[in-house]
PDB file of all heavy atoms in Angstrom:
ATOM      1  N   VAL A 117      12.761  -5.795   6.970  1.00 98.00           N
ATOM      2  CA  VAL A 117      11.383  -5.979   6.535  1.00 98.00           C
ATOM      3  C   VAL A 117      10.500  -5.172   7.477  1.00 98.00           C
ATOM      4  O   VAL A 117      10.433  -5.465   8.682  1.00 98.00           O
ATOM      5  CB  VAL A 117      10.977  -7.465   6.569  1.00 98.00           C
ATOM      6  CG1 VAL A 117       9.541  -7.631   6.081  1.00 98.00           C
ATOM      7  CG2 VAL A 117      11.936  -8.304   5.737  1.00 98.00           C
ATOM      8  N   LEU A 118       9.836  -4.145   6.952  1.00 97.00           N
ATOM      9  CA  LEU A 118       9.010  -3.304   7.811  1.00 97.00           C
ATOM     10  C   LEU A 118       7.733  -4.048   8.180  1.00 97.00           C
ATOM     11  O   LEU A 118       6.897  -4.353   7.326  1.00 97.00           O
ATOM     12  CB  LEU A 118       8.672  -1.987   7.118  1.00 97.00           C
ATOM     13  CG  LEU A 118       9.686  -0.846   7.370  1.00 97.00           C
ATOM     14  CD1 LEU A 118      11.072  -1.224   6.852  1.00 97.00           C
ATOM     15  CD2 LEU A 118       9.212   0.450   6.740  1.00 97.00           C
ATOM     16  N   THR A 119       7.627  -4.387   9.466  1.00 96.00           N
ATOM     17  CA  THR A 119       6.404  -5.018   9.963  1.00 96.00           C
ATOM     18  C   THR A 119       5.763  -4.031  10.934  1.00 96.00           C
ATOM     19  O   THR A 119       5.524  -2.892  10.574  1.00 96.00           O
ATOM     20  CB  THR A 119       6.709  -6.396  10.575  1.00 96.00           C
ATOM     21  OG1 THR A 119       7.543  -6.257  11.729  1.00 96.00           O
ATOM     22  CG2 THR A 119       7.397  -7.306   9.573  1.00 96.00           C
ATOM     23  N   ALA A 120       5.471  -4.436  12.152  1.00 95.00           N
ATOM     24  CA  ALA A 120       4.856  -3.517  13.113  1.00 95.00           C
ATOM     25  C   ALA A 120       4.876  -4.144  14.491  1.00 95.00           C
ATOM     26  O   ALA A 120       4.775  -5.371  14.627  1.00 95.00           O
ATOM     27  CB  ALA A 120       3.407  -3.193  12.725  1.00 95.00           C
ATOM     28  N   ARG A 121       4.986  -3.296  15.504  1.00 95.00           N
ATOM     29  CA  ARG A 121       4.964  -3.799  16.877  1.00 95.00           C
ATOM     30  C   ARG A 121       3.659  -4.532  17.180  1.00 95.00           C
ATOM     31  O   ARG A 121       3.650  -5.486  17.962  1.00 95.00           O
ATOM     32  CB  ARG A 121       5.145  -2.630  17.862  1.00 95.00           C
ATOM     33  CG  ARG A 121       5.230  -3.067  19.314  1.00 95.00           C
ATOM     34  CD  ARG A 121       5.378  -1.888  20.252  1.00 95.00           C
ATOM     35  NE  ARG A 121       6.660  -1.235  20.085  1.00 95.00           N
ATOM     36  CZ  ARG A 121       7.781  -1.615  20.693  1.00 95.00           C
ATOM     37  NH1 ARG A 121       7.781  -2.654  21.502  1.00 95.00           N
ATOM     38  NH2 ARG A 121       8.902  -0.958  20.493  1.00 95.00           N
ATOM     39  N   VAL A 122       2.553  -4.100  16.570  1.00 95.00           N
ATOM     40  CA  VAL A 122       1.283  -4.783  16.847  1.00 95.00           C
ATOM     41  C   VAL A 122       1.280  -6.211  16.312  1.00 95.00           C
ATOM     42  O   VAL A 122       0.385  -7.000  16.635  1.00 95.00           O
ATOM     43  CB  VAL A 122       0.062  -4.006  16.297  1.00 95.00           C
ATOM     44  CG1 VAL A 122      -0.068  -2.657  16.983  1.00 95.00           C
ATOM     45  CG2 VAL A 122       0.125  -3.860  14.789  1.00 95.00           C
ATOM     46  N   GLY A 123       2.283  -6.570  15.496  1.00 96.00           N
ATOM     47  CA  GLY A 123       2.420  -7.951  15.074  1.00 96.00           C
ATOM     48  C   GLY A 123       3.084  -8.835  16.119  1.00 96.00           C
ATOM     49  O   GLY A 123       3.166 -10.047  15.939  1.00 96.00           O
ATOM     50  N   SER A 124       3.545  -8.228  17.197  1.00 97.00           N
ATOM     51  CA  SER A 124       4.152  -8.989  18.284  1.00 97.00           C
ATOM     52  C   SER A 124       3.065  -9.655  19.114  1.00 97.00           C
ATOM     53  O   SER A 124       2.168  -8.977  19.637  1.00 97.00           O
ATOM     54  CB  SER A 124       4.987  -8.072  19.173  1.00 97.00           C
ATOM     55  OG  SER A 124       5.290  -8.704  20.406  1.00 97.00           O
ATOM     56  N   ILE A 125       3.141 -10.969  19.271  1.00 96.00           N
ATOM     57  CA  ILE A 125       2.182 -11.682  20.117  1.00 96.00           C
ATOM     58  C   ILE A 125       2.462 -11.384  21.584  1.00 96.00           C
ATOM     59  O   ILE A 125       1.555 -11.133  22.374  1.00 96.00           O
ATOM     60  CB  ILE A 125       2.247 -13.194  19.834  1.00 96.00           C
ATOM     61  CG1 ILE A 125       1.795 -13.461  18.386  1.00 96.00           C
ATOM     62  CG2 ILE A 125       1.374 -13.980  20.813  1.00 96.00           C
ATOM     63  CD1 ILE A 125       1.988 -14.892  17.927  1.00 96.00           C
ATOM     64  N   GLY A 126       3.747 -11.374  21.962  1.00 95.00           N
ATOM     65  CA  GLY A 126       4.113 -11.131  23.349  1.00 95.00           C
ATOM     66  C   GLY A 126       3.787  -9.737  23.832  1.00 95.00           C
ATOM     67  O   GLY A 126       3.546  -9.525  25.028  1.00 95.00           O
ATOM     68  N   ASP A 127       3.753  -8.769  22.921  1.00 94.00           N
ATOM     69  CA  ASP A 127       3.519  -7.376  23.284  1.00 94.00           C
ATOM     70  C   ASP A 127       2.046  -6.981  23.193  1.00 94.00           C
ATOM     71  O   ASP A 127       1.680  -5.851  23.493  1.00 94.00           O
ATOM     72  CB  ASP A 127       4.345  -6.463  22.362  1.00 94.00           C
ATOM     73  CG  ASP A 127       4.392  -5.026  22.840  1.00 94.00           C
ATOM     74  OD1 ASP A 127       4.878  -4.798  23.963  1.00 94.00           O
ATOM     75  OD2 ASP A 127       3.933  -4.133  22.090  1.00 94.00           O
ATOM     76  N   ASN A 128       1.189  -7.916  22.790  1.00 94.00           N
ATOM     77  CA  ASN A 128      -0.223  -7.605  22.568  1.00 94.00           C
ATOM     78  C   ASN A 128      -0.989  -7.615  23.888  1.00 94.00           C
ATOM     79  O   ASN A 128      -1.322  -8.665  24.426  1.00 94.00           O
ATOM     80  CB  ASN A 128      -0.830  -8.616  21.593  1.00 94.00           C
ATOM     81  CG  ASN A 128      -2.292  -8.309  21.277  1.00 94.00           C
ATOM     82  OD1 ASN A 128      -2.860  -7.331  21.742  1.00 94.00           O
ATOM     83  ND2 ASN A 128      -2.896  -9.168  20.473  1.00 94.00           N
ATOM     84  N   THR A 129      -1.278  -6.423  24.396  1.00 93.00           N
ATOM     85  CA  THR A 129      -2.050  -6.307  25.636  1.00 93.00           C
ATOM     86  C   THR A 129      -3.370  -5.572  25.435  1.00 93.00           C
ATOM     87  O   THR A 129      -4.170  -5.466  26.364  1.00 93.00           O
ATOM     88  CB  THR A 129      -1.243  -5.551  26.707  1.00 93.00           C
ATOM     89  OG1 THR A 129      -0.927  -4.236  26.223  1.00 93.00           O
ATOM     90  CG2 THR A 129       0.038  -6.294  27.048  1.00 93.00           C
ATOM     91  N   LEU A 130      -3.617  -5.077  24.228  1.00 94.00           N
ATOM     92  CA  LEU A 130      -4.812  -4.267  23.972  1.00 94.00           C
ATOM     93  C   LEU A 130      -5.867  -4.982  23.142  1.00 94.00           C
ATOM     94  O   LEU A 130      -7.048  -4.620  23.188  1.00 94.00           O
ATOM     95  CB  LEU A 130      -4.421  -2.960  23.260  1.00 94.00           C
ATOM     96  CG  LEU A 130      -3.512  -2.014  24.036  1.00 94.00           C
ATOM     97  CD1 LEU A 130      -3.141  -0.820  23.169  1.00 94.00           C
ATOM     98  CD2 LEU A 130      -4.200  -1.547  25.317  1.00 94.00           C
ATOM     99  N   GLY A 131      -5.471  -6.000  22.361  1.00 95.00           N
ATOM    100  CA  GLY A 131      -6.419  -6.682  21.497  1.00 95.00           C
ATOM    101  C   GLY A 131      -6.786  -5.839  20.285  1.00 95.00           C
ATOM    102  O   GLY A 131      -6.193  -4.810  20.002  1.00 95.00           O
ATOM    103  N   GLY A 132      -7.830  -6.275  19.571  1.00 95.00           N
ATOM    104  CA  GLY A 132      -8.269  -5.564  18.381  1.00 95.00           C
ATOM    105  C   GLY A 132      -7.310  -5.713  17.207  1.00 95.00           C
ATOM    106  O   GLY A 132      -6.312  -6.417  17.282  1.00 95.00           O
ATOM    107  N   TRP A 133      -7.649  -5.058  16.117  1.00 95.00           N
ATOM    108  CA  TRP A 133      -6.809  -5.011  14.913  1.00 95.00           C
ATOM    109  C   TRP A 133      -6.455  -6.429  14.439  1.00 95.00           C
ATOM    110  O   TRP A 133      -5.323  -6.719  14.084  1.00 95.00           O
ATOM    111  CB  TRP A 133      -5.540  -4.203  15.172  1.00 95.00           C
ATOM    112  CG  TRP A 133      -5.779  -2.725  15.323  1.00 95.00           C
ATOM    113  CD1 TRP A 133      -6.765  -2.128  16.041  1.00 95.00           C
ATOM    114  CD2 TRP A 133      -5.016  -1.663  14.739  1.00 95.00           C
ATOM    115  NE1 TRP A 133      -6.665  -0.753  15.953  1.00 95.00           N
ATOM    116  CE2 TRP A 133      -5.596  -0.447  15.160  1.00 95.00           C
ATOM    117  CE3 TRP A 133      -3.895  -1.633  13.918  1.00 95.00           C
ATOM    118  CZ2 TRP A 133      -5.101   0.791  14.784  1.00 95.00           C
ATOM    119  CZ3 TRP A 133      -3.397  -0.408  13.547  1.00 95.00           C
ATOM    120  CH2 TRP A 133      -3.997   0.790  13.968  1.00 95.00           C
ATOM    121  N   TYR A 134      -7.431  -7.305  14.426  1.00 96.00           N
ATOM    122  CA  TYR A 134      -7.194  -8.729  14.181  1.00 96.00           C
ATOM    123  C   TYR A 134      -6.436  -9.011  12.892  1.00 96.00           C
ATOM    124  O   TYR A 134      -5.427  -9.729  12.896  1.00 96.00           O
ATOM    125  CB  TYR A 134      -8.536  -9.475  14.175  1.00 96.00           C
ATOM    126  CG  TYR A 134      -9.172  -9.583  15.533  1.00 96.00           C
ATOM    127  CD1 TYR A 134     -10.044  -8.595  15.993  1.00 96.00           C
ATOM    128  CD2 TYR A 134      -8.891 -10.658  16.368  1.00 96.00           C
ATOM    129  CE1 TYR A 134     -10.623  -8.672  17.243  1.00 96.00           C
ATOM    130  CE2 TYR A 134      -9.476 -10.759  17.625  1.00 96.00           C
ATOM    131  CZ  TYR A 134     -10.334  -9.759  18.061  1.00 96.00           C
ATOM    132  OH  TYR A 134     -10.899  -9.842  19.307  1.00 96.00           O
ATOM    133  N   SER A 135      -6.948  -8.513  11.768  1.00 96.00           N
ATOM    134  CA  SER A 135      -6.347  -8.850  10.475  1.00 96.00           C
ATOM    135  C   SER A 135      -4.940  -8.292  10.352  1.00 96.00           C
ATOM    136  O   SER A 135      -4.016  -8.985   9.895  1.00 96.00           O
ATOM    137  CB  SER A 135      -7.219  -8.313   9.337  1.00 96.00           C
ATOM    138  OG  SER A 135      -8.512  -8.868   9.382  1.00 96.00           O
TER     139      SER A 135
END
Side-chain angles (χ1 to χ4, degrees):
V117 181
L118 270 61
T119 64
R121 184 181 292 275
V122 297
S124 165
I125 295 172
D127 192 60
N128 182 2
T129 60
L130 297 176
W133 289 44
Y134 289 90
S135 300

